[in-house]
Amino acid sequence: MEISKDADKVKQDREQVVELGSDVTKSKLGNIYTLTIIGQVEGHQVLPENVKTTKYEHVLPLLAGIEESDDVDGLLLLLNTVGGDIEAGLAIAEMIAGMRKPTVSLVLGGGHSIGIPLAVCTKKSFITPTASMTVHPVRMTGLVVGAPQTFRYFQRIQEQIADFVTENSNISRERFMDYMMATGEMATDVGTILYGKEAVASGLIDRLGGLNDALAALHRMIDKQKEKRQKP
């Protein structure tokens, strides 16, 4: 009977990794939930099957469960995303920013567009030297109504993104907007591409580092939280 239960648990864990890109690592240092944000962040519209996506309707309840679980001490967020749906990305970022548990992000490959709020929403953020982040204005595909209200709507979304990023990182609003509206960085678009060291120097990301650095920071945060709980 025990063997059957163990086999079911292993199968469940494998399915979780395949379907959600997530995994729980248990050790004497603490239990860490690893969640990946990959490909495009999918919003209200379903993307083609040949596109790698992160589905917000899967991630949101997952984050709520992590926050409430006694078996999880901290969250490690791994990012390699081209961006995607703005509302879905901000929804995920807001949930992570509102968590009490220790959270650390690591940008691998890319953390572009709406991936930027996701990268800075954790309590500590890291980026590898070769990873890049693209800061650009809000863009929309499909039907666009040619009216002043549409332009104002774009402006307000950009303001919301700028507010969130500057509140959750060390970059100034002025500098972030300069990166967003730069015209000499990208060949066919407005915006700026920041690589590892540049992202840290700008204040957008906290530290340059890899997986070991991110895990070490997360373990330190978990230890501090445990110490606080033990104090009378």
Side-chain angles (χ1 to χ4, degrees):
M1 185 64 106
E2 286 297 323
I3 294 176
S4 178
K5 285 183 179 180
D6 290 342
D8 289 342
K9 181 66 169 59
V10 170
K11 183 180 179 182
Q12 184 179 354
D13 290 343
R14 286 177 179 172
E15 289 176 351
Q16 185 171 300
V17 173
V18 172
E19 294 297 324
L20 300 176
S22 61
D23 189 29
V24 180
T25 304
K26 297 182 178 181
S27 71
K28 61 182 180 180
L29 298 175
N31 300 338
I32 294 175
Y33 198 106
T34 301
L35 177 65
T36 58
I37 304 292
I38 54 94
Q40 289 192 46
V41 178
E42 188 177 85
H44 303 301
Q45 294 184 349
V46 178
L47 294 172
E49 290 184 2
N50 62 339
V51 177
K52 287 186 179 293
T53 62
T54 297
K55 300 179 184 296
Y56 82 102
E57 71 270 23
H58 291 172
V59 177
L60 296 184
L62 190 64
L63 291 172
I66 292 170
E67 178 73 347
E68 286 296 299
S69 176
D70 293 330
D71 296 326
V72 178
D73 298 309
L75 171 68
L76 175 64
L77 190 68
L78 302 179
L79 291 107
N80 186 11
T81 176
V82 295
D85 188 276
I86 293 172
E87 290 183 354
L90 281 177
I92 296 171
E94 289 281 11
M95 280 202 73
I96 296 173
M99 293 177 71
R100 299 187 311 272
K101 287 188 176 178
T103 55
V104 170
S105 66
L106 175 60
V107 181
L108 301 155
H112 307 297
S113 191
I114 201 60
I116 292 173
L118 288 163
V120 304
C121 69
T122 53
K123 294 176 176 61
K124 197 79 174 178
S125 59
F126 288 81
I127 186 170
T128 58
T130 57
S132 60
M133 306 181 78
T134 304
V135 188
H136 63 70
V138 172
R139 297 176 296 198
M140 184 176 288
T141 58
L143 178 64
V144 177
V145 179
Q149 289 87 342
T150 301
F151 179 69
R152 178 57 184 154
Y153 173 68
F154 277 32
Q155 280 187 316
R156 292 185 68 182
I157 292 177
Q158 286 183 183
E159 288 168 3
Q160 293 292 332
I161 293 171
D163 287 344
F164 184 89
V165 171
T166 52
E167 286 173 8
N168 290 276
S169 69
N170 295 313
I171 194 171
S172 67
R173 185 185 180 87
E174 181 180 7
R175 192 169 195 179
F176 183 73
M177 294 304 293
D178 285 344
Y179 284 144
M180 183 181 283
M181 306 306 295
T183 56
E185 285 282 324
M186 300 170 68
T188 60
D189 200 357
V190 175
T192 305
I193 299 175
L194 299 173
Y195 288 92
K197 290 181 179 179
E198 297 170 305
V200 175
S202 70
L204 188 60
I205 298 296
D206 294 325
R207 285 186 57 191
L208 193 71
L211 179 60
N212 183 59
D213 302 298
L215 285 171
L218 188 54
H219 285 307
R220 286 193 295 270
M221 293 166 64
I222 291 172
D223 288 341
K224 286 182 180 179
Q225 191 170 78
K226 287 180 177 179
E227 288 174 5
K228 287 182 181 179
R229 289 175 181 171
Q230 291 173 356
K231 289 181 180 179

